[in-house]
Amino acid sequence: MFKIKYCLASMLFLVGALAIAQEESEEKREPGHYNQSKFKQLYEEFSTPNTYRSASGAPGPDYYQQRADYKMNIVLDDKNAKINGVETITYYNNSPDDLEFLWVQLDQNVRAKDSKSPLRDGNGVNFAYTASNFASTYIQEPFDGGFNIEYVKDANGKPLSFTINQTMMRLNIPKPLKSGEQISFSIKWWYNIPDHTVNRARSGYEYFAKDGNRAYVIAQFFPRMAVYSDVEGWQNHQFWGSGEFALPFGNYDVSITVPADHILDATGVLQNRDDVFSKEMMKRYKQAKKSYDKPVLIVTQEEAEAAEKGFSDKTKTWKFKATNVRDYGFATSRKFIWDMQAVKIGGKDVMAVSMYPKEGNPLWEEQSTKAVVQTLKTYSKHTFDYPYHKAISVHAKNQGMEYPMICWNYGRPNEDGTYSDRTKYGMISVIIHEVGHNFFPMIVNSDERQWGWMDEGLDTFMQYLAEQEFGKNYPEVIAPNTKYPSRRGEAAKIVPYMAGDQSYISPIMSNPENVYQLGPNAYGKPATALNILRETVMGEELFDHAFKTYAQRWKFKHPTPEDFFRTMEDASAVDLDWYWRGWFYTTDYVDIGVKGVKKYYVSSKPTKQMEKYMADRNLTESDLPPLVYLAEEDSEDYYPDLKGKFPSATSQNLKEFMMDKLTEAERGQIKEPKYFYEITFDKPGGIPMPLIVEYTYADGSKENITYPAEIWRKNDAEVRRVLASQKELVGIVVDPKLETADIDTTNNSWPIKEEKSDFDKFKENIKGK
Ligand SMILES: [Zn+2]
């Protein structure tokens, strides 16, 4: 079937086996094939390196970032569920550019009455709605949750002109803010706080009808500076709801006034603990700071339940300062139970903190702080030591949202306190995930609005590692003799998505607003891709060093996808362009199989193909160096009496070569193969992957060989390997441990095994029920 071109110069005679270099089939080649090569470098996709961002993936010599400091006075009006604020922003223009105007983000305007966000969905009717979503969509007046901007003033108290375009506010400053200059201005604002259990708001309150209290988790609550960078200029893409946030770093000085009987925690170091803590709380807090093995309750459930009945008219002001954070969030309620424990990270003490209403118990008092501790340990090990002094996990119904030092998490038991495994694992996993976001994107500060996967994917990958370590460190929490049941991370778990309908799949390198199935797109697939990269392509040592290098290069900075891709190669010497191309830039999937096996035997007599080769060129055997031939079983070249004999027994040339060239000792070492197999592997899937093969021999022994992904570099559809063996080959399995997310394993075995497809199993299951 295929043409063989013998290249005499490249004929290689090896000890114990004979290999003839043969060029691969050319029949399948299309003109321009090499332009479509999966191994082509990503010069067209990547932006050109420059003095801001180096080709290595590190920040360049001229790298800069802007800074925004905030001084804020916040007042929560619990009775009316309103929030009021006055803030002074000091903005530092560290860029080389003069800025004619500034952009400020007004994210709450996504909840304004005239928001365009609800108008852009073109999906038609849902077949089911939650009662609250049905009411808010079809019955109630739209909620009025947008910002009311009372004023914007310059440093001298004079009004500053501004223009609001949906969720973005342009400050029309009187003269450009020159490179190296800073500007201060103040904004006074208020808005109605939404019920976050309706329409999936990321921030707001939950109302507890039984006791009449609210628990607030408040974020995106103040006008925030947009990012100005060398990559996007102003990142002023509107906030539509899915694409999250892009924020500069800065220092925060924040006072929050809430009812006097509220418990509150927030981003930053509490400045007036003596004012807001009771003596008893202070005593317990001091204990907690020395408690490394278990949390200490600062506010007990009994105390929280007593506080629920209070409804104090008095207020208390909690004061915080935070250094080098990119955002701010706080949680407050009189319903909160509060526990803390210390954890050593890089020789420093960090407080792992949980805050939850009684509705979260007993699950929350049992698991939350444990999960925080594990997250800080695992993530610090793989990136950098957690730099802040605390990490808080707050329980809020249906929430999973992250801010610096604080996050909101779901996981609520039934009313009688019982809970399913699903609730328990869901809760531990979301806490690991959201606390983990401290690292990506709160510290490694990527642009979430543009690249959802850079924080969600990297965080979900790290979440998998932390979950597995949680399972090992807390065996009593998980089912006996099992691993932690991670929902995402293992290769096989991404198969249904990657094998799915292509019209609902986008490349990972997509804007989060524009994709169907954001979960697998931005979380599951990149996490799995990194996990496979670590375990199967690069190996843990090379991967972990490169990943850590990325985290350390970009902590407290703004990386782009190329900075990540380039650093992973820079720090490992592994060319990964093919991997980024396949997994991140396309919607291709992995499918690799074994197509067929041919047996060969060594012969001294020229094969028919060789005879033709010589005839075409007017050559005789005497014109050529001594040759050894491989003849296919049952072909016209095949002589049954050769079967099973050592090559040196059937080829005089080989025998003479070995007698002449090898010492006696070397000859004694020789293990001559009896069997020669040519195995054809095919690749119906678009993504090249290492070809992982398990060979089984007649004596039951197995041999595992991994051919690097580069085996597909010249022929993306089919490759052939020669296996020379002393033992008869009886079985081949491709990807035996399901490491590559191969979407169809029915072609992974030789001889072909009757294997039921998932669809067949599914059909049988349906019938069985
Ligand atoms: Zn996330």
Side-chain angles (χ1 to χ4, degrees):
M1 281 296 285
F2 51 85
K3 277 188 284 176
I4 298 177
K5 282 199 209 155
Y6 289 95
C7 173
L8 292 177
S10 67
M11 283 185 178
L12 295 172
F13 293 83
L14 300 179
V15 177
L18 165 70
I20 293 179
Q22 83 189 25
E23 288 188 13
E24 286 161 78
S25 161
E26 290 184 352
E27 276 134 331
K28 289 201 179 84
R29 295 304 158 87
E30 307 275 333
H33 164 84
Y34 289 102
N35 283 331
Q36 270 106 56
S37 168
K38 300 280 172 23
F39 290 86
K40 191 180 161 193
Q41 297 291 290
L42 288 161
Y43 290 119
E44 285 149 38
E45 290 77 5
F46 280 13
S47 55
T48 311
N50 52 45
T51 56
Y52 303 117
R53 286 162 204 276
S54 296
S56 66
D62 295 329
Y63 175 82
Y64 71 85
Q65 63 193 28
Q66 308 292 67
R67 173 175 156 195
D69 291 349
Y70 297 79
K71 196 169 185 336
M72 302 198 282
N73 276 308
I74 308 299
V75 178
L76 179 84
D77 175 352
D78 180 36
K79 285 214 174 75
N80 300 302
K82 277 186 184 171
I83 183 166
N84 305 274
V86 182
E87 69 186 84
T88 301
I89 302 178
T90 304
Y91 184 68
Y92 300 81
N93 181 12
N94 298 325
S95 83
D97 308 325
D98 297 346
L99 305 174
E100 299 121 296
F101 41 77
L102 310 177
W103 283 102
V104 176
Q105 310 186 62
L106 303 178
D107 310 85
Q108 286 300 328
N109 281 358
V110 80
R111 311 241 149 229
K113 264 183 163 170
D114 62 352
S115 169
K116 289 181 187 168
S117 189
L119 298 179
R120 67 175 184 149
D121 278 335
N123 294 336
V125 88
N126 288 356
F127 61 83
Y129 297 80
T130 64
S132 61
N133 284 358
F134 183 83
S136 70
T137 309
Y138 295 116
I139 301 175
Q140 292 164 333
E141 274 282 293
F143 180 73
D144 185 8
F147 272 115
N148 301 278
I149 303 292
E150 295 198 349
Y151 65 68
V152 183
K153 288 179 179 170
D154 69 13
N156 300 318
K158 285 201 196 123
L160 252 182
S161 151
F162 62 88
T163 305
I164 294 175
N165 171 14
Q166 298 183 68
T167 63
M168 288 289 163
M169 175 164 74
R170 190 184 64 227
L171 291 192
N172 306 312
I173 48 180
K175 59 180 177 60
L177 181 66
K178 293 228 166 77
S179 172
E181 286 182 352
Q182 67 187 66
I183 185 174
S184 286
F185 55 92
S186 305
I187 308 176
K188 186 167 195 289
W189 51 266
W190 67 272
Y191 69 86
N192 294 312
I193 302 172
D195 178 342
H196 71 69
T197 65
V198 178
N199 288 335
R200 306 198 50 164
R202 290 165 198 271
S203 158
Y205 64 78
E206 177 184 357
Y207 180 68
F208 294 82
K210 278 193 180 159
D211 53 67
N213 279 285
R214 293 188 177 98
Y216 297 89
V217 286
I218 301 295
Q220 293 92 235
F221 65 97
F222 57 101
R224 305 184 291 179
M225 286 307 300
V227 167
Y228 184 87
S229 73
D230 60 294
V231 182
E232 296 276 352
W234 282 107
Q235 171 47 293
N236 57 5
H237 290 188
Q238 296 289 337
F239 179 47
W240 289 98
S242 295
E244 292 187 319
F245 311 105
L247 299 154
F249 287 106
N251 300 334
Y252 285 68
D253 179 343
V254 183
S255 296
I256 309 167
T257 302
V258 294
D261 48 2
H262 269 213
I263 293 299
L264 184 149
D265 211 343
T267 307
V269 180
L270 182 57
Q271 303 293 303
N272 61 336
R273 196 177 300 277
D274 286 333
D275 299 342
V276 292
F277 270 37
S278 68
K279 281 210 178 90
E280 188 61 33
M281 285 165 71
M282 278 310 261
K283 204 178 93 196
R284 293 169 184 169
Y285 174 67
K286 279 173 191 153
Q287 283 170 4
K289 283 173 79 172
K290 290 191 202 107
S291 178
Y292 295 93
D293 57 342
K294 61 176 192 300
V296 172
L297 283 162
I298 310 297
V299 176
T300 66
Q301 177 159 341
E302 207 179 8
E303 288 158 353
E305 286 185 37
E308 282 179 356
K309 303 182 180 89
F311 300 99
S312 172
D313 283 332
K314 299 203 178 76
T315 62
K316 239 183 212 177
T317 300
W318 300 63
K319 295 177 179 170
F320 295 88
K321 280 187 181 169
T323 307
N324 215 9
V325 290
R326 62 161 244 177
D327 200 359
Y328 200 89
F330 69 92
T332 182
S333 179
R334 53 180 73 80
K335 289 179 67 69
F336 284 145
I337 303 160
W338 205 3
D339 74 45
M340 301 181 188
Q341 94 170 58
V343 50
K344 274 257 185 276
I345 300 289
K348 281 203 301 193
D349 282 341
V350 177
M351 297 307 286
V353 182
S354 298
M355 222 161 68
Y356 39 95
K358 66 175 186 295
E359 285 74 6
N361 268 342
L363 189 52
W364 274 71
E365 65 188 10
E366 288 164 2
Q367 307 299 348
S368 175
T369 298
K370 246 180 231 169
V372 177
V373 167
Q374 186 63 60
T375 309
L376 295 175
K377 285 182 178 169
T378 304
Y379 279 65
S380 294
K381 186 172 72 186
H382 285 273
T383 57
F384 42 79
D385 290 338
Y386 182 70
Y388 301 132
H389 71 298
K390 68 180 173 188
I392 313 156
S393 160
V394 182
H395 176 40
K397 191 181 182 184
N398 301 340
Q399 286 285 343
M401 264 313 284
E402 71 277 11
Y403 305 96
M405 307 178 208
I406 191 165
C407 56
W408 332 141
N409 302 303
Y410 57 74
R412 184 160 300 176
N414 304 314
E415 274 191 44
D416 64 1
T418 60
Y419 53 83
S420 62
D421 275 356
R422 188 190 155 94
T423 301
K424 177 179 75 181
Y425 292 127
M427 173 253 194
I428 295 168
S429 288
V430 74
I431 293 173
I432 291 173
H433 181 95
E434 306 305 342
V435 173
H437 270 309
N438 274 296
F439 295 82
F440 309 99
M442 295 303 149
I443 296 168
V444 179
N445 188 351
S446 57
D447 177 351
E448 297 177 273
R449 187 140 308 164
Q450 183 57 46
W451 303 117
W453 71 269
M454 284 199 77
D455 66 301
E456 298 302 353
L458 269 58
D459 184 34
T460 305
F461 160 69
M462 281 300 310
Q463 177 193 342
Y464 172 76
L465 300 185
E467 285 170 354
Q468 293 307 311
E469 289 190 355
F470 183 97
K472 283 181 199 147
N473 290 341
Y474 302 103
E476 70 282 3
V477 179
I478 63 169
N481 306 315
T482 61
K483 296 197 303 177
Y484 187 95
S486 291
R487 188 160 73 97
R488 288 170 168 147
E490 282 167 25
K493 297 242 165 85
I494 202 66
V495 165
Y497 169 69
M498 290 178 76
D501 183 343
Q502 280 284 324
S503 46
Y504 292 95
I505 304 178
S506 307
I508 292 173
M509 286 293 289
S510 299
N511 185 294
E513 290 294 346
N514 304 338
V515 302
Y516 290 101
Q517 308 190 73
L518 186 60
N521 176 275
Y523 298 65
K525 187 179 163 189
T528 311
L530 294 178
N531 202 29
I532 294 174
L533 196 55
R534 179 172 189 260
E535 292 184 359
T536 301
V537 178
M538 295 173 77
E540 290 181 10
E541 202 183 329
L542 286 174
F543 179 96
D544 288 353
H545 174 76
F547 191 81
K548 192 169 196 161
T549 301
Y550 166 72
Q552 300 220 345
R553 281 178 173 180
W554 290 98
K555 67 178 175 181
F556 296 112
K557 294 192 172 73
H558 299 280
T560 64
E562 289 100 316
D563 297 324
F564 175 70
F565 295 145
R566 287 185 160 128
T567 296
M568 291 301 289
E569 294 190 340
D570 185 52
S572 69
V574 183
D575 174 13
L576 294 169
D577 283 35
W578 61 273
Y579 196 82
W580 309 134
R581 184 184 291 286
W583 281 88
F584 288 75
Y585 285 85
T586 77
T587 60
D588 286 342
Y589 50 79
V590 178
D591 185 13
I592 296 173
V594 51
K595 193 175 166 189
V597 177
K598 286 180 188 171
K599 259 187 187 177
Y600 287 80
Y601 297 97
V602 166
S603 167
S604 298
K605 198 171 143 38
T607 57
K608 291 285 181 287
Q609 280 169 313
M610 190 62 202
E611 280 172 1
K612 182 169 182 308
Y613 177 90
M614 290 190 292
D616 287 350
R617 287 161 184 78
N618 253 331
L619 297 170
T620 64
E621 273 192 87
S622 59
D623 298 322
L624 298 169
L627 295 172
V628 180
Y629 305 101
L630 283 173
E632 188 184 345
E633 188 177 58
D634 297 332
S635 72
E636 53 192 350
D637 298 317
Y638 180 57
Y639 308 100
D641 56 313
L642 302 182
K643 190 171 173 171
K645 290 198 175 147
F646 282 144
S648 59
T650 54
S651 169
Q652 197 55 34
N653 288 334
L654 182 61
K655 191 186 292 174
E656 278 171 12
F657 175 85
M658 286 160 54
M659 298 307 280
D660 290 352
K661 295 279 160 74
L662 305 181
T663 65
E664 192 135 354
E666 282 169 335
R667 283 198 293 276
Q669 298 272 310
I670 286 171
K671 289 179 181 158
E672 279 192 75
K674 277 194 215 172
Y675 301 94
F676 296 85
Y677 299 95
E678 184 192 71
I679 303 136
T680 303
F681 298 98
D682 62 347
K683 187 170 85 58
I687 301 184
M689 288 295 276
L691 176 56
I692 306 168
V693 187
E694 180 186 85
Y695 296 106
T696 304
Y697 297 102
D699 64 356
S701 63
K702 289 180 193 296
E703 182 183 16
N704 289 285
I705 300 179
T706 297
Y707 308 97
E710 284 78 2
I711 196 169
W712 307 105
R713 76 200 182 283
K714 293 189 201 169
N715 188 336
D716 190 46
E718 208 171 279
V719 293
R720 293 183 299 276
R721 287 293 309 181
V722 177
L723 185 75
S725 168
Q726 295 177 300
K727 299 181 277 192
E728 192 183 357
L729 181 67
V730 295
I732 300 173
V733 181
V734 172
D735 190 12
K737 290 189 206 141
L738 305 177
E739 294 171 66
T740 65
D742 190 319
I743 68 155
D744 176 11
T745 51
T746 60
N747 59 353
N748 284 29
S749 302
W750 174 86
I752 293 165
K753 276 191 198 124
E754 271 302 316
E755 191 180 335
K756 289 190 179 103
S757 71
D758 281 349
F759 184 65
D760 288 336
K761 284 184 213 156
F762 176 73
K763 275 198 302 195
E764 279 175 19
N765 259 334
I766 296 279
K767 273 187 225 150
K769 274 171 192 166

